[in-house]
Amino acid sequence: MEFRPLTDTDLATAPDWFGEIELRADGWRDATTRSAVAVADDRIVAAGIIWTSRAHDDRFWIDIVVDPAHRRCGVGTAMHAHLSHLRARGIPFMTRGFADEPRLAFAYVLGGHTIQVVPPTRISVENRSVLRSDPRVVAAGAVPFADVLHAHSDMYAWIHRSWSPVAAGFEDAVNHGLDEDLDREASAVALDADGRVTAIAAVYRDSERPLLCAETTRPDEPGGERLVEGCVRFALDVLAARGVQRVDFDGHVSDPHFLPNWAKLAPTGRWFLLVEVPPALP
C-alpha cells in the first residue's frame, strides 16, 4: 500500500464512500492543510485529511474514510500514521461525532479520549414557560452591532478556554458572516447599569432551523445563570411569535450558565462528543 496527496482529479472521480467525510485536495488552504489517499493494486482504498481551525490552533482536526471492502484490515490505522507524519506542528489530532458513530469507536481504538461533550440539541419552543424573563434583557438589534460582536467573541473565548483555547485573531473567524447569519431581532443581550453586555443568546439562521447559543460574556459574571435564562426566554418568545416550534441549542456540558437552563427545557436528541486523538509514534 502506498500513500500520495489527494488531488482534484481524485475528488472529481471519487467513489461513493468518499462522501462519508468532507474532503478537499491536498494543501487547499495552505501548506498545513493536508490530505492523502492510500492506494493498493492501483485502486484508492482510503482517504484522510487534517487541518487546523481558524479559531483554534491547539490541535489538528482529522477525518479518515476507508473503502468498505477494506475496513478492519489496518488501512485506517495506516492512514492515521501517514497523516501523523504530515503534521506541520507536533500537536495532537481531534475528531468529533455522535456517541454511537463508528468513527468515534475508531478514534478510541487509536488511543483517543473525550475532551468535550455536547448534549442533545432539540428544544420544543413551547417549553419556554419554565424560564423567567428578565428586565435587563433586550433584543440584540437594540444595541450597537459592534457591542454584539464583541460580546459574541468574548463568550466564545472563555467557554473554550479550559479545553480548546482560541488562537490569535480568532475574533474574525467566529464573527465572520454574522452580519447576515445572526438574527438580531430574536437574539438577546443582557445589559448592566452601564450598558455593558453581560450575557448573550445568539440566534443563527444559517441552518435548517434556528440555532441558539447562550452564555455570559465572562465566566465570573454575577448572577450569570439568571442572565442567560432571561436571554434564552427572550429569544424563544420572539421565535414562538413567528410560529417556530423547534430550535436547536449549541452548547457544552462545561458551560456553567447555559447547562442548567438547557436542562429545564426537556431537550431531546443524540449526544455529541469531541475526542482528542494522539498521533502515531515516530
Side-chain angles (χ1 to χ4, degrees):
M1 185 167 59
E2 298 181 348
F3 297 91
R4 63 166 175 78
L6 174 66
T7 67
D8 286 325
T9 300
D10 294 326
L11 294 172
T13 59
D16 290 343
W17 52 269
F18 262 39
E20 294 181 24
I21 64 174
E22 184 176 349
L23 289 165
R24 297 184 181 184
D26 186 50
W28 75 91
R29 191 175 76 201
D30 54 43
T32 69
T33 53
R34 304 301 307 272
S35 54
V37 292
V39 180
D41 298 325
D42 297 321
R43 178 183 175 187
I44 294 177
V45 295
I49 186 169
I50 62 171
W51 72 99
T52 52
S53 164
R54 294 186 183 277
H56 309 268
D57 60 2
D58 57 326
R59 300 175 180 90
F60 280 104
W61 287 102
I62 184 171
D63 263 333
I64 294 172
V65 63
V66 178
D67 180 345
H70 290 78
R71 292 176 183 174
R72 294 183 175 83
C73 298
V75 175
T77 301
M79 176 59 76
H80 167 253
H82 179 69
L83 294 174
S84 296
H85 294 302
L86 295 183
R87 291 173 303 145
R89 296 167 51 216
I91 54 178
F93 292 124
M94 181 176 178
T95 193
R96 57 191 170 188
F98 291 106
D100 57 351
E101 287 189 290
R103 62 190 298 161
L104 287 193
F106 176 57
Y108 293 126
V109 167
L110 294 173
H113 66 277
T114 303
I115 58 172
Q116 187 56 268
V117 178
V118 177
T121 61
R122 191 64 43 82
I123 300 292
S124 176
V125 174
E126 67 180 9
N127 292 343
R128 70 190 186 282
S129 60
V130 301
L131 302 181
R132 296 166 293 176
S133 300
D134 193 300
R136 295 169 290 182
V137 174
V138 299
V143 301
F145 191 49
D147 292 354
V148 176
L149 293 179
H150 189 67
H152 187 261
S153 58
D154 281 351
M155 171 185 70
Y156 188 93
W158 82 259
I159 64 176
H160 288 87
R161 187 175 300 149
S162 65
W163 59 277
S164 186
V166 295
F170 80 98
E171 296 93 342
D172 288 343
V174 301
N175 288 338
H176 178 72
L178 284 189
D179 53 335
E180 295 183 0
D181 296 337
L182 188 71
D183 186 333
R184 297 184 215 180
E185 293 181 359
S187 297
V189 294
L191 304 176
D192 67 10
D194 297 321
R196 179 180 65 89
V197 178
T198 57
I200 181 171
V203 179
Y204 313 100
R205 53 189 174 198
D206 57 342
S207 54
E208 179 182 354
R209 60 182 53 82
L211 179 68
L212 196 156
C213 179
E215 251 301 348
T216 54
T217 55
R218 60 188 187 189
D220 57 348
E221 191 65 54
E225 183 178 332
R226 181 73 179 91
L227 295 171
V228 170
E229 180 180 12
C231 287
V232 173
R233 176 62 191 263
F234 184 102
L236 293 180
D237 280 345
V238 172
L239 294 172
R242 297 177 183 172
V244 175
Q245 296 182 345
R246 290 177 177 79
V247 301
D248 289 334
F249 273 58
D250 182 16
H252 317 105
V253 295
S254 59
D255 299 344
H257 310 120
F258 157 80
L259 194 69
N261 290 300
W262 164 88
K264 298 171 188 174
L265 292 166
T268 61
R270 302 163 72 190
W271 291 82
F272 193 83
L273 307 178
L274 293 98
V275 177
E276 181 181 293
V277 180
L281 296 175

